[in-house]
Amino acid sequence: MNAAKRHEIFSRLREANPNPVTELEYSNPFELLVAVTLSAQATDVGVNKATRKLFPVANTPEAIYALGVDGLKAYIKTIGLYNAKAENIIKACKILMEQHNSQVPDNREALEALPGVGRKTANVVLNTAFGQPAMAVDTHIFRVSNRTRIAPGKTVLEVEKKLMRFVPKEFLIDAHHWLILHGRYTCVARKPRCGSCLIEDLCEYKEKLD
């Protein structure tokens, strides 16, 4: 795929949705960090249901740490892998309090040092909370990047690096949201909705469906 075609793809995505946002509900970087940690192998809808009850009660490292692992589990038990997630979040709260003055760090190294925070979670926080150009490649972005040929790659990291290289700079901050939403609602896994896709004529997917 050439640069002109990529530019046109992101131009159309921006025109259709000028200010894309995450579907996770949060009001500060710490809430976002918790929500993204909970979202691994879970839906944003499911995470939002849990955090709507959790955050009014506890939305700081101190408050969640005070709940303890069992107390936190009571709020997140509807989410997959909640046992491990509760333990990781409590450990992360302790580190944030002791090493970061209870503030979420705005650099990758410090974020990835937190329990339960991998590269993808760090990228979401860096991009969404701090406005840094970062590409959190989830299953949707991986599929869209390969299917459209915007940034084909065999691994998540390969796709991430290609997107960072190939997406025009003017679109980098919002590109990850556009691609996730496109994968979630149009370029879906089983049967992509090509007939209603605004970039169908630019996409290089060989098995397009009407």
Side-chain angles (χ1 to χ4, degrees):
M1 181 176 284
N2 62 43
K5 193 180 278 190
R6 284 195 194 93
H7 192 279
E8 177 61 21
I9 284 173
F10 285 101
S11 293
R12 290 187 193 178
L13 292 173
R14 179 173 64 186
E15 188 176 347
N17 185 3
N19 299 296
V21 295
T22 178
E23 293 187 318
L24 289 170
E25 296 170 3
Y26 73 100
S27 61
N28 58 52
F30 177 70
E31 287 188 358
L32 178 66
L33 176 65
V34 171
V36 178
T37 301
L38 292 173
S39 72
Q41 297 181 24
T43 66
D44 287 0
V45 171
V47 172
N48 289 338
K49 281 182 182 175
T51 57
R52 280 175 202 153
K53 295 176 182 174
L54 171 65
F55 289 156
V57 175
N59 72 338
T60 65
E62 289 84 356
I64 286 186
Y65 188 74
L67 289 175
V69 172
D70 290 337
L72 179 55
K73 282 182 188 178
Y75 287 97
I76 67 170
K77 61 188 177 185
T78 55
I79 296 171
L81 308 175
Y82 73 93
N83 286 312
K85 290 174 181 177
E87 290 185 14
N88 282 333
I89 289 170
I90 293 297
K91 289 175 186 171
C93 287
K94 191 169 191 282
I95 293 172
L96 290 174
M97 290 187 294
E98 292 178 351
Q99 299 180 21
H100 300 287
N101 198 28
S102 295
Q103 299 299 306
V104 176
D106 62 357
N107 68 86
R108 178 185 304 285
E109 188 178 6
L111 282 168
E112 290 189 18
L114 297 171
V117 178
R119 186 177 182 88
K120 186 177 79 172
T121 297
N123 280 341
V124 173
V125 174
L126 291 171
N127 177 263
T128 305
F130 299 113
Q132 298 181 22
M135 202 66 63
V137 178
D138 67 350
T139 54
H140 297 299
I141 293 183
F142 187 79
R143 179 176 65 253
V144 171
S145 297
N146 275 290
R147 191 182 268 166
T148 61
R149 312 303 289 173
I150 289 172
K154 292 180 180 175
T155 67
V156 166
L157 187 59
E158 186 183 355
V159 169
E160 178 190 329
K161 288 181 175 178
K162 282 190 176 181
L163 285 168
M164 292 300 292
R165 193 162 79 241
F166 292 153
V167 174
K169 281 193 170 56
E170 66 182 288
F171 304 112
L172 259 182
I173 294 295
D174 291 321
H176 129 259
H177 290 309
W178 286 319
L179 292 172
I180 283 178
L181 294 169
H182 191 66
R184 192 171 281 169
Y185 297 110
T186 303
C187 196
V188 295
R190 289 185 183 175
K191 190 177 179 184
R193 300 178 178 123
C194 300
S196 61
C197 176
L198 54 80
I199 60 168
E200 184 186 6
D201 57 315
L202 302 168
C203 168
E204 296 180 4
Y205 182 47
K206 289 187 172 65
E207 300 164 32
K208 287 179 189 169
L209 304 168
D210 294 327

